[in-house]
Amino acid sequence: MNGLRTTRRAIYTARAGATALFVGLLGCGTPTPPGPQPQTVGSADPAWITIRPALPSPNLDRLAYDARTRTLTLYDLTGNDRWEVQLPGETVGHPVAGQHRLPDVDPAQVYVYYSRPGVRPSVPVTVKQILDSGGVHVSMR
């Protein structure tokens, strides 16, 4: 009886060792390719947020950008929604006020979107899209 216990223990130990070796050789995913990685808005969101659908994109007709002064004018949002701007080289956006002056960057690489706590951020638009739309800012006050 004692020999049977030793054999079972040896089998379990061997299985555990083989599983650990297999997982070690297989790895935990694919390696990151070299070079710059694509930027994604909201990439730091927890998993429970990423499975929810994104909010609709901002209304381009209500956004304005003055290229001369590099001032972005945003419309008022409801509730706890807030505007965010993601500049080139950033992986996530940062909150901004209703009027925000941008640094001297390519408008096609600046993303504008809004976020709401507990929900994925809206689909982003670029400042170039805002310029191309020719939208006029209309205050809701």
Side-chain angles (χ1 to χ4, degrees):
M1 189 73 159
N2 197 13
L4 185 58
R5 249 189 264 154
T6 303
T7 305
R8 284 187 180 167
R9 186 176 299 140
I11 290 172
Y12 292 135
T13 304
R15 283 184 185 168
T19 302
L21 179 64
F22 179 73
V23 170
L25 291 175
L26 186 61
C28 295
T30 58
T32 304
Q37 301 302 309
Q39 295 179 355
T40 56
V41 174
S43 61
D45 290 338
W48 62 273
I49 290 179
T50 58
I51 60 173
R52 295 181 178 184
L55 295 167
S57 62
N59 184 348
L60 289 173
D61 295 335
R62 296 179 61 198
L63 298 173
Y65 180 68
D66 184 346
R68 185 179 55 79
T69 62
R70 297 191 318 263
T71 302
L72 181 64
T73 305
L74 308 164
Y75 57 89
D76 294 331
L77 294 171
T78 60
N80 291 331
D81 295 359
R82 66 178 184 202
W83 286 108
E84 296 192 31
V85 170
Q86 181 179 338
L87 298 173
E90 295 180 341
T91 56
V92 295
H94 55 279
V96 296
Q99 284 202 333
H100 180 71
R101 186 158 188 246
L102 297 174
D104 190 17
V105 293
D106 181 12
Q109 295 181 354
V110 178
Y111 294 99
V112 178
Y113 59 95
Y114 61 97
S115 63
R116 180 179 299 157
V119 181
R120 283 184 59 197
S122 72
V123 176
V125 296
T126 65
V127 172
K128 179 160 180 17
Q129 288 174 305
I130 296 169
L131 274 171
D132 292 345
S133 75
V136 178
H137 177 70
V138 177
S139 178
M140 296 301 292
R141 293 182 194 192

